[in-house]
Amino acid sequence: MGGMEEKFKAISAADFFYRNREIAGFDNPVRSTYTICRELLENSMDACEAGGYLPDIYMRLRYVEGGALEIKVEDNGKGVPRRYVKRAFGQVLFGSKYTLRQTRGIFGLGGKMAVLYGQITTNSPVHVTSSTGGMEKYSYKIMVDIERNEPLTKQEVVERNHGQWHGTVVKLKFQGDYARARPKIVDYLRHVAIIEPYAQLTFVDPDGVLYFFRRKAGYMPRPPLEVLPHPQGVDVETVRRLAERFGQGSLIDFLVENFHRVGRRIALKFLRKARLDPDMDVVELLRREDLIPKLVKAMNEFDDWLPPDPSCLSPIGKELLEIGIKKELKPEFVAVVQRKPSAYSGHPFIVEVAIAFGGGVPTSSQGEVNLYRYANKIPLLYDVHNDVSMKVIKKVKWWRYKINPESMPIAFFVHVCSTKIPYKTVGKEYIADRPEVEYEIEWGLKEAARRLKTYLARKRREESLKRRRAA
Amino acid sequence: MGGMEEKFKAISAADFFYRNREIAGFDNPVRSTYTICRELLENSMDACEAGGYLPDIYMRLRYVEGGALEIKVEDNGKGVPRRYVKRAFGQVLFGSKYTLRQTRGIFGLGGKMAVLYGQITTNSPVHVTSSTGGMEKYSYKIMVDIERNEPLTKQEVVERNHGQWHGTVVKLKFQGDYARARPKIVDYLRHVAIIEPYAQLTFVDPDGVLYFFRRKAGYMPRPPLEVLPHPQGVDVETVRRLAERFGQGSLIDFLVENFHRVGRRIALKFLRKARLDPDMDVVELLRREDLIPKLVKAMNEFDDWLPPDPSCLSPIGKELLEIGIKKELKPEFVAVVQRKPSAYSGHPFIVEVAIAFGGGVPTSSQGEVNLYRYANKIPLLYDVHNDVSMKVIKKVKWWRYKINPESMPIAFFVHVCSTKIPYKTVGKEYIADRPEVEYEIEWGLKEAARRLKTYLARKRREESLKRRRAA
């Protein structure tokens, strides 16, 4: 017995995601077409907002030889610094999104997956032109060496950057299926236009149809700031890394300098409760295997930390959300609610919800409800039935508010923003049901429903008054 | 405008999965406890079957200091060769499962994720002892350098291997929640005992409760063989890699030597249809950007390839599946159906189904159905409502077979084995609905239902006969 020996080998991160691309939303040509549009658009939105520029994004799809599609996405964002372009487009797990701050693309994968998918279906490189607004504008043709996870530069051109242009243009070919992906892509763009009324979006599809979403607001939400990790949410690995970087010094200084909203007073109170010596050297902490787990457990369980500061979050705000909803749906009535910041396991989050009624809002069909879901401004279009928002909508007793979401022209909007959205999959499709998040969504929707109830009651009174007067 | 410059950086594969561990089934202590048990058990099963040894696996969980859990899993498999132990347990994306062959752990991630999770919750190393049956038995304490994705050896001991022992013992500590994970773990073990009646499983839980699943069959299914890729399922990247390795030589030789079931006659027919020169040098193929996509497109669309050979698959077989079901459920009647091999996009698969009735089979409660799902012998316990099998069960008109799955004591079993299971997530929880797979499941279940219908009709006849005689 024994058989032949197993073949052991290492594969690169690019190779892993190439082999398992379905987990990043590339399971078939239809889905891949949608995912590519979405990922490139989201990168563009992030690049604009990170630079403080009102987004103006142009996306074009067209058919090219061999039945393939070519996508071009052009933005007016801050651009990619020249020394990073090759790796930003040609190396998986390289990016600017590995910080504690609310960004759309937490996985730093999507753009590269689009490049990779284009390459494995058409064998052609991605074309990138970018500038950060300086003297140079640079263009590259890049492929990915999948087995090594390294960029392969096929062409490099540097020109003078006239007029201080800043932004990025990405162009790539891929085998897709636009005809069947169209409904999702258009639905996606409309979702974006609602939540980002300060963005101008132009999409020209392969049949030459133009979709134009006009900018209706001249300002953006305050951009998110980067923050230190909150002590309630850290794990052993995070603390170990921070301790190694800290080196020699006292435990109390370590806590105060490395964690979110930890002052000397609270740190001292915590250490006393955890029975740890404030003057212990951090080098000592690293020497003994059991000390960091003990410290982390105590940090996670301590109740008196200050709650996380939501400055690392960038909610839309009531005003912008209302502008967006009115612009795209033209409802008779809309109630927007922004909940106070909350947190789950040390990750701060804010829930914003809205209910729109009447006017251009369609009555939902066949027992479905109109639900627009967003996480960190990303529209979520798939797997609605697994999402926490749908769970809440099914739970609430709407008749108490004299509302029937299945027979009245009503649309719900839920936006969750957080430094860590509890996604269930890399494909970013739905939010897992953390009780804290569920609670905020529920009470937000109930508050909005109360306002709608008041509106409807007044409307009924006025109508009956009118009728009586007319009689 | 412009803001501060973005921070760009690369992260290792270990770091990526550490940050996004929820996508591999590590989203909370309950789920993590279940996932760790499952991943280690599956690695053990694979190690036994790859060596041709009837599995005899011992798993023990116990509480240790600090409220943590310690898991120990011991198998009699083929062992890990000494030179691979460190990387096999301490480096993400290193393993023996990156081949075209049916294995449980296609992602080569699970075992390492268990080690990683143990480390980040308890700061302690994994203990591994292994031998391939030779002169040496070796033990290691290993941690993962997450930022570099490299193993850190904390201890290494080599001893004489008395009695030619072969197998692997893995022991690690982690923060979990056994009380709430128990139902899933026990359910999982029972699922395994059904599909692998040739395995002996012993589980001692932290409360000292013993779960013992006795071996009831003395033989195993034929192990799967490794095969070349089927031309219908290849992509540009695969063909490019193979072409680079092939180097100089004719296109026809390249096809015959590198693809599954491609003979000279079929290759010639294909090349003629694709208008490609059989004598073209493969080096030429690599030189021009558009040639490989053209070749691949033609390969994917050509209809006359031989269907994939299912020798790379290892179905359970009717006999073993029947033994397993009878052993664990003790039904009054069971019908097992193995469908003929089929394929989707060049990936061969076999569907095996069964329906059990009466005896120890419980009547399902509250409109649910008893459904045991498996993919490559892995039990699938989560997200049943998204699974293709549930979709089929909801679709079939059971009254035609005089069966009511919701009010009769009936259990369904569906096993799909394939070189590539179309999973939707890394967590391996449910199978996407490929039409080809759906078709085989549907007709398998209908065939089994027909047999149950015949059995029930005969039973009714006999009973009414008995009653008449008694009267």
Side-chain angles (χ1 to χ4, degrees):
Chain A
M1 289 267 192
M4 59 168 194
E5 190 174 291
E6 300 273 315
K7 287 178 204 156
F8 281 83
K9 69 170 183 167
I11 61 169
S12 77
D15 212 348
F16 177 84
F17 286 107
Y18 154 64
R19 290 160 190 244
N20 300 296
R21 52 195 175 275
E22 58 278 6
I23 62 174
F26 290 84
D27 34 4
N28 60 54
V30 180
R31 183 76 182 274
S32 301
T33 305
Y34 163 73
T35 302
I36 286 173
C37 292
R38 194 184 112 162
E39 295 289 354
L40 295 181
L41 202 74
E42 280 167 14
N43 283 350
S44 284
M45 294 293 272
D46 269 333
C48 292
E49 292 179 19
Y53 304 109
L54 288 171
D56 192 347
I57 298 171
Y58 170 82
M59 179 164 90
R60 189 204 63 197
L61 268 175
R62 63 186 186 102
Y63 293 111
V64 289
E65 69 289 352
L69 283 161
E70 183 194 73
I71 187 170
K72 180 179 170 182
V73 177
E74 189 171 340
D75 67 54
N76 61 333
K78 65 190 298 184
V80 181
R82 187 171 161 206
R83 66 184 179 287
Y84 295 133
V85 174
K86 294 179 203 172
R87 300 178 75 198
F89 287 89
Q91 182 182 339
V92 170
L93 306 190
F94 178 86
S96 62
K97 294 175 181 172
Y98 301 112
T99 55
L100 261 190
R101 198 188 48 177
Q102 173 193 330
T103 57
R104 290 184 178 74
I106 47 164
F107 297 112
L109 252 188
K112 261 84 65 153
M113 286 302 293
V115 172
L116 223 150
Y117 185 81
Q119 174 173 327
I120 63 169
T121 56
T122 68
N123 202 31
S124 62
V126 60
H127 297 223
V128 182
T129 299
S130 192
S131 178
T132 55
M135 301 294 288
E136 291 181 337
K137 182 169 93 174
Y138 26 89
S139 300
Y140 291 86
K141 292 189 186 177
I142 301 163
M143 291 187 82
V144 187
D145 181 333
I146 296 177
E147 288 175 277
R148 291 194 182 78
N149 191 24
E150 282 171 8
L152 294 168
T153 311
K154 296 289 175 180
Q155 203 185 70
E156 176 169 0
V157 178
V158 183
E159 300 164 275
R160 249 197 84 178
N161 182 28
H162 297 286
Q164 294 186 296
W165 174 74
H166 54 84
T168 304
V169 186
V170 179
K171 199 167 78 177
L172 61 89
K173 289 181 218 161
F174 64 98
Q175 289 288 349
D177 181 344
Y178 177 71
R180 291 174 59 205
R182 181 178 46 210
K184 279 277 184 212
I185 293 172
V186 174
D187 196 22
Y188 175 82
L189 288 170
R190 199 173 153 174
H191 270 74
V192 172
I194 289 172
I195 199 118
E196 274 132 333
Y198 51 85
Q200 185 128 301
L201 305 172
T202 312
F203 170 46
V204 181
D205 89 354
D207 308 318
V209 180
L210 171 78
Y211 298 85
F212 180 64
F213 300 87
R214 190 182 300 278
R215 177 180 299 133
K216 282 280 185 179
Y219 65 98
M220 291 193 280
R222 183 189 47 69
L225 302 174
E226 199 178 327
V227 289
L228 297 172
H230 191 278
Q232 207 200 317
V234 294
D235 59 40
V236 169
E237 174 66 15
T238 307
V239 174
R240 201 191 47 67
R241 280 188 203 180
L242 292 171
E244 274 172 6
R245 249 149 252 176
F246 185 79
Q248 271 196 332
S250 70
L251 187 51
I252 186 159
D253 287 346
F254 172 66
L255 290 178
V256 170
E257 285 173 32
N258 284 284
F259 298 94
H260 185 55
R261 301 194 76 192
V262 177
R264 293 199 84 76
R265 202 182 49 80
I266 290 180
L268 211 57
K269 188 174 166 194
F270 161 71
L271 288 169
R272 209 171 300 129
K273 196 175 172 198
R275 294 168 184 277
L276 287 163
D277 177 8
D279 297 321
M280 180 204 289
D281 196 315
V282 171
V283 172
E284 181 62 22
L285 192 72
L286 286 163
R287 208 170 291 147
R288 279 180 47 197
E289 186 184 285
D290 61 326
L291 273 181
I292 292 182
K294 191 184 161 195
L295 173 65
V296 168
K297 195 156 185 258
M299 285 168 85
N300 294 166
E301 288 169 359
F302 186 63
D303 286 328
D304 291 343
W305 302 117
L306 294 177
D309 174 353
S311 61
C312 52
L313 301 179
S314 173
I316 300 301
K318 283 173 63 171
E319 203 179 79
L320 281 173
L321 191 52
E322 191 169 330
I323 292 172
I325 293 169
K326 284 186 171 163
K327 160 168 112 86
E328 293 300 322
L329 273 91
K330 302 192 174 32
E332 178 187 320
F333 172 85
V334 59
V336 181
V337 175
Q338 187 185 65
R339 297 285 299 172
K340 286 219 185 70
S342 177
Y344 75 91
S345 343
H347 308 295
F349 70 93
I350 291 178
V351 166
E352 299 172 293
V353 307
I355 299 183
F357 169 83
V361 178
T363 302
S364 66
S365 52
Q366 302 149 6
E368 294 287 309
V369 297
N370 295 315
L371 169 60
Y372 292 77
R373 297 175 294 135
Y374 300 90
N376 285 353
K377 302 181 196 160
I378 297 178
L380 307 176
L381 301 186
Y382 283 91
D383 294 328
V384 57
H385 291 288
N386 290 316
D387 193 279
V388 60
S389 299
M390 189 51 101
K391 186 179 164 193
V392 170
I393 288 175
K394 283 192 179 151
K395 195 173 70 176
V396 171
K397 296 183 175 60
W398 296 108
W399 54 265
R400 287 197 181 154
Y401 304 93
K402 311 212 167 161
I403 291 174
N404 186 341
E406 290 176 16
S407 69
M408 287 162 74
I410 282 179
F412 298 97
F413 304 82
V414 177
H415 177 223
V416 179
C417 60
S418 176
T419 46
K420 182 148 182 90
I421 298 279
Y423 288 116
K424 279 259 185 173
T425 62
V426 193
K428 291 181 280 184
E429 292 307 351
Y430 61 94
I431 300 181
D433 42 347
R434 298 275 177 166
E436 298 90 340
V437 179
E438 194 176 322
Y439 178 89
E440 294 299 328
I441 294 173
E442 181 174 341
W443 288 97
L445 285 176
K446 283 181 172 171
E447 166 65 24
R450 236 184 322 269
R451 287 195 223 155
L452 175 55
K453 184 186 172 190
T454 308
Y455 169 79
L456 290 173
R458 197 175 54 221
K459 190 179 161 187
R460 262 191 301 273
R461 268 200 314 276
E462 282 169 7
E463 275 170 1
S464 76
L465 213 65
K466 253 189 245 165
R467 250 178 283 132
R468 253 182 281 163
R469 275 180 199 153
Chain B
M1 289 266 192
M4 59 169 193
E5 190 173 290
E6 300 272 315
K7 287 178 205 158
F8 281 83
K9 68 170 184 167
I11 61 169
S12 77
D15 213 348
F16 177 84
F17 286 106
Y18 154 63
R19 290 160 189 246
N20 300 295
R21 51 195 176 275
E22 59 278 6
I23 62 175
F26 290 85
D27 34 4
N28 59 54
V30 181
R31 183 76 182 275
S32 301
T33 304
Y34 164 73
T35 303
I36 287 173
C37 291
R38 194 184 112 161
E39 295 289 354
L40 295 181
L41 202 74
E42 280 166 13
N43 283 350
S44 284
M45 293 293 271
D46 269 332
C48 292
E49 292 179 19
Y53 304 109
L54 289 170
D56 192 347
I57 298 171
Y58 171 82
M59 179 164 91
R60 190 206 61 197
L61 269 175
R62 63 186 186 103
Y63 293 112
V64 288
E65 69 289 353
L69 283 161
E70 184 194 73
I71 187 170
K72 180 179 170 181
V73 177
E74 189 171 342
D75 67 53
N76 61 333
K78 64 190 300 184
V80 181
R82 187 171 161 204
R83 65 184 179 287
Y84 295 133
V85 174
K86 294 179 203 171
R87 300 177 75 196
F89 287 89
Q91 183 182 339
V92 170
L93 306 189
F94 178 86
S96 62
K97 293 174 181 173
Y98 301 111
T99 56
L100 262 190
R101 198 188 49 176
Q102 173 193 331
T103 56
R104 290 183 178 75
I106 48 165
F107 297 111
L109 253 188
K112 261 85 64 154
M113 286 302 293
V115 172
L116 223 149
Y117 185 81
Q119 174 174 327
I120 63 169
T121 56
T122 68
N123 202 32
S124 62
V126 60
H127 297 224
V128 182
T129 300
S130 192
S131 178
T132 55
M135 301 294 288
E136 291 180 338
K137 183 170 93 174
Y138 25 90
S139 300
Y140 291 86
K141 291 189 187 177
I142 302 163
M143 291 187 83
V144 187
D145 180 332
I146 296 178
E147 288 176 277
R148 291 194 181 78
N149 192 23
E150 282 171 8
L152 294 169
T153 310
K154 296 288 174 179
Q155 202 184 71
E156 176 169 1
V157 178
V158 183
E159 300 163 275
R160 250 197 84 179
N161 182 28
H162 296 286
Q164 294 186 296
W165 173 75
H166 54 83
T168 304
V169 186
V170 179
K171 199 167 79 178
L172 61 89
K173 288 182 220 160
F174 64 98
Q175 289 288 350
D177 181 344
Y178 177 70
R180 291 173 59 205
R182 182 178 45 210
K184 279 278 183 210
I185 293 172
V186 174
D187 196 22
Y188 176 82
L189 289 169
R190 203 181 140 130
H191 270 74
V192 172
I194 289 173
I195 200 117
E196 274 132 332
Y198 51 84
Q200 185 129 302
L201 305 172
T202 311
F203 170 45
V204 181
D205 89 354
D207 308 318
V209 180
L210 171 79
Y211 298 85
F212 180 64
F213 300 87
R214 190 182 300 279
R215 177 180 297 133
K216 282 280 186 180
Y219 66 98
M220 291 194 280
R222 183 189 47 69
L225 302 174
E226 199 179 327
V227 289
L228 297 172
H230 191 277
Q232 207 200 317
V234 294
D235 58 41
V236 169
E237 174 67 15
T238 307
V239 173
R240 201 191 46 68
R241 280 188 203 180
L242 292 170
E244 274 172 7
R245 249 148 252 175
F246 185 80
Q248 271 196 333
S250 70
L251 187 51
I252 186 159
D253 286 347
F254 172 65
L255 290 178
V256 170
E257 285 173 32
N258 284 285
F259 298 94
H260 185 55
R261 300 194 77 191
V262 178
R264 293 199 84 75
R265 201 183 49 79
I266 290 179
L268 211 58
K269 189 174 165 193
F270 161 72
L271 288 169
R272 209 172 299 129
K273 196 174 172 200
R275 294 168 184 277
L276 287 163
D277 177 8
D279 297 321
M280 180 204 288
D281 196 316
V282 170
V283 173
E284 181 62 22
L285 191 73
L286 285 163
R287 208 169 291 147
R288 279 179 46 196
E289 186 184 284
D290 61 326
L291 273 181
I292 292 182
K294 191 183 161 195
L295 173 65
V296 168
K297 195 156 186 260
M299 284 168 86
N300 293 166
E301 288 169 359
F302 186 63
D303 286 327
D304 291 343
W305 301 118
L306 294 177
D309 174 352
S311 61
C312 53
L313 301 179
S314 174
I316 300 300
K318 284 173 63 171
E319 204 179 79
L320 281 174
L321 191 51
E322 192 170 329
I323 292 172
I325 293 170
K326 285 186 171 162
K327 161 168 111 85
E328 293 300 323
L329 273 92
K330 304 195 173 31
E332 179 187 319
F333 172 85
V334 58
V336 181
V337 175
Q338 187 185 66
R339 297 285 301 172
K340 285 218 185 70
S342 177
Y344 75 91
S345 343
H347 307 295
F349 71 91
I350 291 178
V351 166
E352 299 172 293
V353 307
I355 299 183
F357 168 83
V361 178
T363 301
S364 66
S365 52
Q366 303 149 4
E368 294 286 309
V369 297
N370 294 315
L371 169 60
Y372 292 78
R373 298 176 295 135
Y374 300 90
N376 285 353
K377 301 182 197 160
I378 297 179
L380 306 176
L381 300 186
Y382 283 91
D383 293 328
V384 58
H385 291 288
N386 290 316
D387 193 278
V388 60
S389 299
M390 189 52 99
K391 186 179 165 194
V392 170
I393 288 175
K394 283 193 178 150
K395 194 173 70 177
V396 171
K397 296 184 175 58
W398 295 109
W399 53 265
R400 287 197 181 154
Y401 304 93
K402 311 213 167 161
I403 291 174
N404 186 340
E406 291 176 16
S407 69
M408 288 163 74
I410 282 179
F412 297 97
F413 304 82
V414 177
H415 177 222
V416 179
C417 60
S418 176
T419 46
K420 183 150 181 87
I421 298 279
Y423 288 115
K424 279 259 183 173
T425 62
V426 194
K428 291 181 280 184
E429 291 307 350
Y430 61 94
I431 300 181
D433 42 347
R434 298 276 178 166
E436 299 89 339
V437 179
E438 194 176 323
Y439 178 89
E440 294 299 328
I441 293 173
E442 181 175 342
W443 289 97
L445 285 176
K446 284 180 172 172
E447 166 66 23
R450 235 182 324 268
R451 287 195 223 153
L452 175 55
K453 183 186 173 189
T454 309
Y455 169 78
L456 290 173
R458 197 176 56 221
K459 190 180 160 186
R460 263 191 300 273
R461 268 199 314 276
E462 282 169 7
E463 275 171 1
S464 76
L465 213 65
K466 253 190 244 166
R467 248 178 286 132
R468 253 180 282 162
R469 274 181 200 151

